[in-house]
Amino acid sequence: MISKLLRDNIRNLKPYSSARDEFEGNASIWLDANECPTALPNLPEGINRYPASQLQGLRDEIARVKGVNASQVFIGNGSDEAVDLLMRCFCQPATDKILVFPPTYGMYGVCAAVNDASIIESMLDNEFNINLKDFENKNAQRPKLTFICNPNNPTANTQNAESIRQIIEKSTGIVVVDEAYIDFCAEKSIISWINQYPNLVVLQTLSKAWGLAAARVGLAFASPQIIGVMNRVKFPYNVGKPSIDIALKALQQSDEMVKRTKELVNNKNWLTSELNSLPMVQRVYPSDANFLLVKFDNARQAYSKLASNGIVVRDRSTQPGCEGCLRITVGTKEEVEKLLNCIKD
Ligand SMILES: *Cc1c(COP(=O)(O)O)cnc(C)c1O
């Protein structure tokens, strides 16, 4: 089934074979890749060498942490790379379509535009839930990729697992569930479903709860068929060695990550109750993520007031269903306090 969905040129692709992929045996002198034999002083050891092209070490470690097989793990230059790569693999430019549930993450639309895939929209309802009937109607146009952001950015809510299951089962294409915020959320990841559904891709990232936004390490989990294609199509050295090493160090500290995530969730609950008591706040939407979507009487005014105090939030008021809304990331206790004082002022 997966093979049929691929673009013809991708199905027949002969991947780039790196110098190091081809060598088997014991080597101590590397004169195969036109690298510099030494690194400049005060730089990390080995920085003069190309990293492992298939990211074996980090893939093994991610597989261990997530309880999947390394053959089910793709590592990208941020999960945004995975979004773009999936479109390059499956969407024939000027022909194929993707389906999204607005308001949602903007990169699906940007990558679709770059890859010349057209976009089918199935709007979320007033409470930002997926309308399954509408999905079924739109799904008749046979999108190659359907993107479900869960928890959703910018609305912060999660979809119920049964709806997601129905979408996966009814889709004739690939369903991509973007779990960038899953670590903040009481709902469990659906990562284990990749063993059951060959058309499911789950995206995660080290950019949010793991605190590695600058390292650019994104993750995709799927059947070995899909992961195999992604790894053949990606650039050979898509994640740098410093980022690989930093990711490995971070993954050793999952207890600390969980502890900090809990603190952020506490900060969020406090921020939610404080905002709810303010007269200029109309609504704080329920959040399963590390940010809040907040409806103000006058969003522009609130935005400007915060900005003039050096506090940057995201104005989402032009997004469908988000009129009057700002998206506020949950920061430290001190940051939350400053934000609240500024709004109260
Ligand atoms: C932040 C975010 C990401 C993360 O992107 P990276 O490229 O991994 O940094 C992915 N999806 C959504 C919905 C996000 O909000």
Side-chain angles (χ1 to χ4, degrees):
M1 174 212 178
I2 299 308
S3 172
K4 265 197 217 138
L5 290 170
L6 286 169
R7 289 169 62 191
D8 296 338
N9 57 320
I10 298 296
R11 194 181 305 114
N12 302 323
L13 180 77
K14 222 177 145 320
Y16 177 77
S17 171
S18 79
R20 221 133 289 171
D21 290 338
E22 285 174 6
F23 180 77
E24 292 168 18
N26 272 330
S28 55
I29 299 179
W30 295 103
L31 303 175
D32 59 338
N34 300 347
E35 299 152 335
C36 188
T38 56
L40 290 171
N42 307 317
L43 292 177
E45 198 185 313
I47 196 75
N48 53 315
R49 299 291 175 191
Y50 282 104
S53 73
Q54 291 299 322
L55 298 147
Q56 287 85 356
L58 185 54
R59 279 173 76 194
D60 288 342
E61 183 59 12
I62 297 278
R64 187 189 64 77
V65 171
K66 299 291 177 180
V68 298
N69 194 287
S71 65
Q72 298 170 308
V73 180
F74 165 85
I75 302 176
N77 195 274
S79 45
D80 289 345
E81 182 188 359
V83 172
D84 179 70
L85 198 50
L86 286 164
M87 290 194 201
R88 285 200 283 143
C89 292
F90 291 102
C91 297
Q92 183 64 36
T95 304
D96 286 333
K97 306 182 182 81
I98 69 154
L99 189 151
V100 296
F101 299 96
T104 192
Y105 188 45
M107 279 307 287
Y108 313 140
V110 172
C111 288
V114 168
N115 288 286
D116 201 9
S118 52
I119 303 173
I120 308 165
E121 296 189 320
S122 175
M123 298 313 238
L124 297 177
D125 68 17
N126 286 340
E127 294 301 309
F128 300 133
N129 292 314
I130 289 174
N131 177 337
L132 278 177
K133 268 247 104 47
D134 187 64
F135 163 75
E136 282 181 49
N137 290 336
K138 305 274 163 74
N139 186 45
Q141 298 176 51
R142 303 181 82 84
K144 279 289 187 76
L145 301 170
T146 294
F147 287 89
I148 305 172
C149 190
N150 200 56
N152 187 38
N153 180 3
T155 62
N157 63 315
T158 40
Q159 302 300 323
N160 94 37
E162 242 355 87
S163 304
I164 295 176
R165 189 184 290 281
Q166 289 207 27
I167 290 167
I168 299 168
E169 290 183 351
K170 289 184 169 135
S171 181
T172 49
I174 307 285
V175 176
V176 184
V177 178
D178 185 345
E179 296 188 334
Y181 299 99
I182 199 70
D183 298 298
F184 299 100
C185 164
E187 300 286 321
K188 282 224 292 289
S189 165
I190 61 163
I191 228 176
S192 64
W193 295 12
I194 61 173
N195 295 308
Q196 187 185 349
Y197 297 112
N199 66 328
L200 171 65
V201 178
V202 177
L203 302 182
Q204 292 188 4
T205 180
L206 301 190
S207 294
K208 304 285 158 62
W210 290 94
L212 297 187
R216 311 304 302 131
V217 181
L219 312 171
F221 303 93
S223 59
Q225 298 97 292
I226 294 182
I227 296 299
V229 173
M230 293 174 79
N231 279 326
R232 283 199 294 284
V233 174
K234 77 176 183 73
F235 292 147
Y237 312 108
N238 60 327
V239 181
K241 180 75 161 35
S243 293
I244 294 171
D245 291 343
I246 286 167
L248 286 168
K249 267 195 193 161
L251 290 165
Q252 299 304 314
Q253 306 181 56
S254 60
D255 291 350
E256 185 63 24
M257 182 279 278
V258 169
K259 192 181 127 214
R260 289 177 186 217
T261 300
K262 283 187 180 145
E263 282 168 19
L264 285 175
V265 170
N266 287 339
N267 292 356
K268 176 179 76 179
N269 293 340
W270 173 54
L271 175 59
T272 304
S273 65
E274 290 291 315
L275 286 171
N276 269 323
S277 70
L278 299 180
M280 69 293 268
V281 170
Q282 288 183 14
R283 181 160 185 203
V284 182
Y285 286 90
S287 168
D288 292 309
N290 65 333
F291 59 86
L292 294 174
L293 187 71
V294 185
K295 198 185 204 70
F296 287 88
D297 287 337
N298 188 335
R300 283 250 42 106
Q301 189 186 25
Y303 181 90
S304 308
K305 170 76 185 162
L306 289 166
S308 66
N309 282 270
I311 300 172
V312 191
V313 298
R314 192 96 154 103
D315 186 350
R316 295 284 75 182
S317 55
T318 59
Q319 298 285 300
C322 299
E323 295 77 16
C325 289
L326 302 181
R327 191 193 68 192
I328 304 175
T329 306
V330 178
T332 62
K333 264 214 160 64
E334 294 69 39
E335 288 169 340
V336 169
E337 205 157 79
K338 283 190 180 145
L339 174 99
L340 284 167
N341 287 337
C342 179
I343 297 177
K344 283 175 191 165
D345 189 16

PDB file of all heavy atoms in Angstrom, residues 77-80 105 108 149 153 178 180-181 205 207-208 216-218, ligand 1:
ATOM      1  N   ASN A  77      16.259  17.237  10.813  1.00  0.00           N
ATOM      2  CA  ASN A  77      16.734  18.553  11.227  1.00  0.00           C
ATOM      3  C   ASN A  77      15.509  19.343  11.701  1.00  0.00           C
ATOM      4  O   ASN A  77      14.968  20.189  11.001  1.00  0.00           O
ATOM      5  CB  ASN A  77      17.396  19.215  10.008  1.00  0.00           C
ATOM      6  CG  ASN A  77      18.229  20.401  10.404  1.00  0.00           C
ATOM      7  OD1 ASN A  77      17.726  21.501  10.526  1.00  0.00           O
ATOM      8  ND2 ASN A  77      19.497  20.170  10.627  1.00  0.00           N
ATOM      9  N   GLY A  78      15.042  18.992  12.910  1.00  0.00           N
ATOM     10  CA  GLY A  78      13.740  19.446  13.381  1.00  0.00           C
ATOM     11  C   GLY A  78      12.653  18.576  12.773  1.00  0.00           C
ATOM     12  O   GLY A  78      12.886  17.920  11.749  1.00  0.00           O
ATOM     13  N   SER A  79      11.478  18.533  13.427  1.00  0.00           N
ATOM     14  CA  SER A  79      10.399  17.735  12.820  1.00  0.00           C
ATOM     15  C   SER A  79       9.865  18.421  11.571  1.00  0.00           C
ATOM     16  O   SER A  79       9.227  17.795  10.736  1.00  0.00           O
ATOM     17  CB  SER A  79       9.288  17.418  13.819  1.00  0.00           C
ATOM     18  OG  SER A  79       8.934  18.534  14.566  1.00  0.00           O
ATOM     19  N   ASP A  80      10.155  19.712  11.418  1.00  0.00           N
ATOM     20  CA  ASP A  80       9.792  20.392  10.172  1.00  0.00           C
ATOM     21  C   ASP A  80      10.422  19.701   8.958  1.00  0.00           C
ATOM     22  O   ASP A  80       9.823  19.646   7.891  1.00  0.00           O
ATOM     23  CB  ASP A  80      10.238  21.863  10.209  1.00  0.00           C
ATOM     24  CG  ASP A  80       9.393  22.696  11.170  1.00  0.00           C
ATOM     25  OD1 ASP A  80       8.317  22.224  11.588  1.00  0.00           O
ATOM     26  OD2 ASP A  80       9.807  23.823  11.493  1.00  0.00           O
ATOM     27  N   TYR A 105      -1.062  24.242  12.887  1.00  0.00           N
ATOM     28  CA  TYR A 105       0.339  24.618  12.693  1.00  0.00           C
ATOM     29  C   TYR A 105       0.592  25.077  11.254  1.00  0.00           C
ATOM     30  O   TYR A 105       0.215  24.383  10.296  1.00  0.00           O
ATOM     31  CB  TYR A 105       1.198  23.403  13.023  1.00  0.00           C
ATOM     32  CG  TYR A 105       2.694  23.618  13.065  1.00  0.00           C
ATOM     33  CD1 TYR A 105       3.253  24.717  13.707  1.00  0.00           C
ATOM     34  CD2 TYR A 105       3.550  22.678  12.489  1.00  0.00           C
ATOM     35  CE1 TYR A 105       4.630  24.883  13.762  1.00  0.00           C
ATOM     36  CE2 TYR A 105       4.922  22.830  12.554  1.00  0.00           C
ATOM     37  CZ  TYR A 105       5.454  23.933  13.185  1.00  0.00           C
ATOM     38  OH  TYR A 105       6.814  24.094  13.250  1.00  0.00           O
ATOM     39  N   TYR A 108       2.545  23.074   7.885  1.00  0.00           N
ATOM     40  CA  TYR A 108       1.955  22.117   6.938  1.00  0.00           C
ATOM     41  C   TYR A 108       1.605  22.859   5.642  1.00  0.00           C
ATOM     42  O   TYR A 108       1.874  22.376   4.546  1.00  0.00           O
ATOM     43  CB  TYR A 108       0.693  21.447   7.508  1.00  0.00           C
ATOM     44  CG  TYR A 108       0.829  20.923   8.917  1.00  0.00           C
ATOM     45  CD1 TYR A 108      -0.209  21.069   9.839  1.00  0.00           C
ATOM     46  CD2 TYR A 108       1.994  20.287   9.342  1.00  0.00           C
ATOM     47  CE1 TYR A 108      -0.100  20.589  11.130  1.00  0.00           C
ATOM     48  CE2 TYR A 108       2.112  19.811  10.641  1.00  0.00           C
ATOM     49  CZ  TYR A 108       1.063  19.970  11.533  1.00  0.00           C
ATOM     50  OH  TYR A 108       1.179  19.515  12.821  1.00  0.00           O
ATOM     51  N   CYS A 149      -2.636  17.644  14.279  1.00  0.00           N
ATOM     52  CA  CYS A 149      -1.706  18.166  15.274  1.00  0.00           C
ATOM     53  C   CYS A 149      -2.314  17.896  16.646  1.00  0.00           C
ATOM     54  O   CYS A 149      -3.404  18.396  16.948  1.00  0.00           O
ATOM     55  CB  CYS A 149      -1.518  19.667  15.035  1.00  0.00           C
ATOM     56  SG  CYS A 149      -0.189  20.390  15.997  1.00  0.00           S
ATOM     57  N   ASN A 153      -1.594  23.059  17.856  1.00  0.00           N
ATOM     58  CA  ASN A 153      -1.074  24.419  17.886  1.00  0.00           C
ATOM     59  C   ASN A 153      -1.866  25.207  16.852  1.00  0.00           C
ATOM     60  O   ASN A 153      -1.898  24.782  15.698  1.00  0.00           O
ATOM     61  CB  ASN A 153       0.416  24.361  17.515  1.00  0.00           C
ATOM     62  CG  ASN A 153       1.083  25.717  17.504  1.00  0.00           C
ATOM     63  OD1 ASN A 153       0.475  26.727  17.827  1.00  0.00           O
ATOM     64  ND2 ASN A 153       2.349  25.741  17.120  1.00  0.00           N
ATOM     65  N   ASP A 178       1.057  14.846  14.615  1.00  0.00           N
ATOM     66  CA  ASP A 178       2.169  15.668  15.117  1.00  0.00           C
ATOM     67  C   ASP A 178       2.023  15.834  16.624  1.00  0.00           C
ATOM     68  O   ASP A 178       1.148  16.556  17.105  1.00  0.00           O
ATOM     69  CB  ASP A 178       2.136  17.027  14.400  1.00  0.00           C
ATOM     70  CG  ASP A 178       3.326  17.916  14.762  1.00  0.00           C
ATOM     71  OD1 ASP A 178       4.025  17.629  15.757  1.00  0.00           O
ATOM     72  OD2 ASP A 178       3.539  18.914  14.048  1.00  0.00           O
ATOM     73  N   ALA A 180       4.170  17.200  18.855  1.00  0.00           N
ATOM     74  CA  ALA A 180       5.237  18.071  19.360  1.00  0.00           C
ATOM     75  C   ALA A 180       5.064  18.390  20.853  1.00  0.00           C
ATOM     76  O   ALA A 180       6.045  18.587  21.566  1.00  0.00           O
ATOM     77  CB  ALA A 180       5.278  19.366  18.545  1.00  0.00           C
ATOM     78  N   TYR A 181       3.799  18.436  21.316  1.00  0.00           N
ATOM     79  CA  TYR A 181       3.528  18.854  22.709  1.00  0.00           C
ATOM     80  C   TYR A 181       3.088  17.701  23.599  1.00  0.00           C
ATOM     81  O   TYR A 181       2.559  17.922  24.683  1.00  0.00           O
ATOM     82  CB  TYR A 181       2.460  19.966  22.697  1.00  0.00           C
ATOM     83  CG  TYR A 181       2.928  21.171  21.930  1.00  0.00           C
ATOM     84  CD1 TYR A 181       2.538  21.375  20.611  1.00  0.00           C
ATOM     85  CD2 TYR A 181       3.813  22.087  22.504  1.00  0.00           C
ATOM     86  CE1 TYR A 181       3.007  22.458  19.885  1.00  0.00           C
ATOM     87  CE2 TYR A 181       4.280  23.166  21.783  1.00  0.00           C
ATOM     88  CZ  TYR A 181       3.877  23.346  20.478  1.00  0.00           C
ATOM     89  OH  TYR A 181       4.350  24.422  19.768  1.00  0.00           O
ATOM     90  N   THR A 205       9.413  15.808  18.776  1.00  0.00           N
ATOM     91  CA  THR A 205      10.547  16.722  18.625  1.00  0.00           C
ATOM     92  C   THR A 205      11.288  16.851  19.955  1.00  0.00           C
ATOM     93  O   THR A 205      10.687  16.643  21.018  1.00  0.00           O
ATOM     94  CB  THR A 205      10.065  18.112  18.159  1.00  0.00           C
ATOM     95  OG1 THR A 205      11.194  18.971  18.025  1.00  0.00           O
ATOM     96  CG2 THR A 205       9.073  18.726  19.133  1.00  0.00           C
ATOM     97  N   SER A 207      12.513  19.762  20.518  1.00  0.00           N
ATOM     98  CA  SER A 207      12.519  21.230  20.589  1.00  0.00           C
ATOM     99  C   SER A 207      11.693  21.803  21.738  1.00  0.00           C
ATOM    100  O   SER A 207      11.886  22.949  22.112  1.00  0.00           O
ATOM    101  CB  SER A 207      11.964  21.831  19.298  1.00  0.00           C
ATOM    102  OG  SER A 207      12.805  21.552  18.217  1.00  0.00           O
ATOM    103  N   LYS A 208      10.729  21.060  22.270  1.00  0.00           N
ATOM    104  CA  LYS A 208       9.810  21.647  23.238  1.00  0.00           C
ATOM    105  C   LYS A 208      10.131  21.149  24.650  1.00  0.00           C
ATOM    106  O   LYS A 208      10.961  21.738  25.317  1.00  0.00           O
ATOM    107  CB  LYS A 208       8.359  21.357  22.818  1.00  0.00           C
ATOM    108  CG  LYS A 208       8.039  21.844  21.389  1.00  0.00           C
ATOM    109  CD  LYS A 208       7.864  23.350  21.313  1.00  0.00           C
ATOM    110  CE  LYS A 208       8.078  23.948  19.932  1.00  0.00           C
ATOM    111  NZ  LYS A 208       7.182  23.516  18.878  1.00  0.00           N
ATOM    112  N   ARG A 216      17.934  21.500  16.815  1.00  0.00           N
ATOM    113  CA  ARG A 216      17.213  21.024  15.621  1.00  0.00           C
ATOM    114  C   ARG A 216      17.239  19.502  15.518  1.00  0.00           C
ATOM    115  O   ARG A 216      17.917  18.921  14.670  1.00  0.00           O
ATOM    116  CB  ARG A 216      17.781  21.646  14.317  1.00  0.00           C
ATOM    117  CG  ARG A 216      17.974  23.143  14.301  1.00  0.00           C
ATOM    118  CD  ARG A 216      16.717  23.913  14.620  1.00  0.00           C
ATOM    119  NE  ARG A 216      15.641  23.606  13.719  1.00  0.00           N
ATOM    120  CZ  ARG A 216      14.389  23.284  14.132  1.00  0.00           C
ATOM    121  NH1 ARG A 216      14.091  23.262  15.427  1.00  0.00           N
ATOM    122  NH2 ARG A 216      13.457  23.017  13.269  1.00  0.00           N
ATOM    123  N   VAL A 217      16.538  18.855  16.410  1.00  0.00           N
ATOM    124  CA  VAL A 217      16.405  17.407  16.340  1.00  0.00           C
ATOM    125  C   VAL A 217      14.917  17.057  16.407  1.00  0.00           C
ATOM    126  O   VAL A 217      14.264  17.256  17.428  1.00  0.00           O
ATOM    127  CB  VAL A 217      17.164  16.696  17.484  1.00  0.00           C
ATOM    128  CG1 VAL A 217      17.019  15.177  17.340  1.00  0.00           C
ATOM    129  CG2 VAL A 217      18.636  17.084  17.477  1.00  0.00           C
ATOM    130  N   GLY A 218      14.402  16.574  15.295  1.00  0.00           N
ATOM    131  CA  GLY A 218      13.000  16.174  15.217  1.00  0.00           C
ATOM    132  C   GLY A 218      12.902  14.691  14.931  1.00  0.00           C
ATOM    133  O   GLY A 218      13.835  14.085  14.394  1.00  0.00           O
TER     134      GLY A 218
HETATM  135  C1  LIG B   1       7.091  23.585  17.647  1.00  0.00           C
HETATM  136  C2  LIG B   1       6.379  22.622  16.779  1.00  0.00           C
HETATM  137  C3  LIG B   1       7.087  21.640  16.104  1.00  0.00           C
HETATM  138  C4  LIG B   1       8.561  21.494  16.284  1.00  0.00           C
HETATM  139  O1  LIG B   1       9.261  21.730  15.151  1.00  0.00           O
HETATM  140  P1  LIG B   1      10.839  21.423  15.153  1.00  0.00           P
HETATM  141  O2  LIG B   1      11.157  21.598  13.718  1.00  0.00           O
HETATM  142  O3  LIG B   1      11.019  20.007  15.625  1.00  0.00           O
HETATM  143  O4  LIG B   1      11.493  22.405  16.067  1.00  0.00           O
HETATM  144  C5  LIG B   1       6.389  20.723  15.338  1.00  0.00           C
HETATM  145  N1  LIG B   1       5.057  20.779  15.251  1.00  0.00           N
HETATM  146  C6  LIG B   1       4.344  21.708  15.908  1.00  0.00           C
HETATM  147  C7  LIG B   1       2.867  21.688  15.836  1.00  0.00           C
HETATM  148  C8  LIG B   1       4.981  22.665  16.675  1.00  0.00           C
HETATM  149  O5  LIG B   1       4.260  23.602  17.302  1.00  0.00           O
END
